[in-house]
Amino acid sequence: MKQVLLVDMDSASRGALQQVLAAEGYDVAVGNCSEQGLLKPTFASADLILLALDINDTSALVRISSLGGSKPIMVLSTSDKEVDRIKAYELGADDYMVRPFNPRELSIRMQALCRRVDSTTNKVRLAHDGAIKIAFDDSCFTVSISETSVSLTQTEFSLFKYLFERKGQVITKQELQQRILHKELGQFDRNLDMHISNTRRKLAAKELPKSLINTVRGKGYSISAAV
């Protein structure tokens, strides 16, 4: 049974949606995007996250995307503007649905996301039986991972390569900000998180795990020494 976490849904919408998802066989939990909420077991054990998003305040999406690893995130929003959809995808969303929506369509799209994650997990598990080969092409900012090529922006490429060259180490956000973005990390600066989220999204689009780049809570980012 897949576990679904509803984040910051209003009580009326939440109750109706919980019933629909339960009828489809999902184990549904409710959470929020506060510091405490993201530390709870319900967040850690969720297979999929449904986030009711105010598109004018995307901080919740940025935080959940940076902490969620390979968990798929579906945004539920009242905005049907293309620019808002693109913004959500850029910040780490895996799918986007406009409210109100057809409950059956929601369930089908959730199943598709879960299948994609299951497929990716199996591929990663097999890959670790041997060695994952990672190569960098500096001329076109492309990373080849186990014969799968991922095209990145120059900044995303530099971040990934910097972390890879220091795999097994935790690199602080301050160091990445200074070395790659060439500026000091401000208290409310989420630019680095956005680049990491975009890189993870591109990895997932190629059926590679977003969790190749690990978030070390309160410290920074790392790439596993096993890679």
Side-chain angles (χ1 to χ4, degrees), residues 22-188:
E24 292 289 337
Y26 291 100
D27 180 9
V28 184
V30 177
N32 59 63
C33 58
S34 66
E35 291 290 342
Q36 295 78 9
L38 295 180
L39 289 173
K40 289 182 178 180
T42 49
F43 179 82
S45 63
D47 295 301
L48 184 147
I49 298 169
L50 296 180
L51 171 63
L53 181 68
D54 177 354
I55 206 66
N56 294 315
D57 180 10
T58 56
S59 59
L61 176 56
V62 171
R63 293 174 66 193
I64 291 174
S65 180
S66 65
L67 293 173
S70 59
K71 299 179 191 297
I73 303 168
M74 179 178 287
V75 165
L76 308 177
S77 174
T78 56
S79 173
D80 62 355
K81 295 180 180 178
E82 183 180 26
V83 65
D84 291 335
R85 290 175 183 270
I86 293 172
K87 183 178 181 181
Y89 286 125
E90 287 178 339
L91 294 177
D94 296 283
D95 203 352
Y96 185 107
M97 288 197 70
V98 178
R99 301 166 65 187
F101 44 74
N102 184 302
R104 182 57 181 159
E105 180 185 358
L106 173 65
S107 177
I108 291 172
R109 287 167 69 165
M110 288 169 59
Q111 291 172 25
L113 282 178
C114 289
R115 283 197 302 271
R116 189 180 75 189
V117 171
D118 288 344
S119 173
T120 301
T121 301
N122 289 335
K123 288 184 179 181
V124 173
R125 193 174 292 124
L126 289 171
H128 276 89
D129 290 340
I132 295 180
K133 297 179 180 179
I134 297 184
F136 297 85
D137 187 337
D138 297 75
S139 65
C140 58
F141 310 124
T142 298
V143 181
S144 297
I145 305 172
S146 294
E147 301 181 355
T148 298
S149 295
V150 183
S151 296
L152 303 173
T153 66
Q154 182 175 357
T155 300
E156 293 163 359
F157 179 86
S158 297
L159 280 169
F160 193 101
K161 188 174 183 180
Y162 191 89
L163 288 169
F164 179 78
E165 290 172 344
R166 293 156 183 80
K167 59 184 177 182
Q169 304 176 37
V170 178
I171 310 302
T172 65
K173 289 186 176 182
Q174 289 83 355
E175 180 177 342
L176 290 170
Q177 187 90 0
Q178 292 170 349
R179 297 287 187 178
I180 307 301
L181 302 185
H182 306 295
K183 62 179 182 177
E184 295 298 322
L185 181 64
Q187 182 179 0
F188 303 106

Side-chain angles (χ1 to χ4, degrees), residues 188-225:
F188 303 106
D189 192 339
R190 295 293 179 267
N191 204 21
L192 176 64
D193 295 330
M194 183 186 70
H195 288 301
I196 293 293
S197 294
N198 288 343
T199 303
R200 285 170 167 162
R201 177 175 54 80
K202 291 177 181 180
L203 291 171
K206 293 287 187 174
E207 295 190 341
L208 294 164
K210 293 188 289 185
S211 53
L212 275 175
I213 303 176
N214 300 315
T215 298
V216 182
R217 187 168 179 78
K219 295 182 180 180
Y221 296 102
S222 71
I223 289 182
S224 172

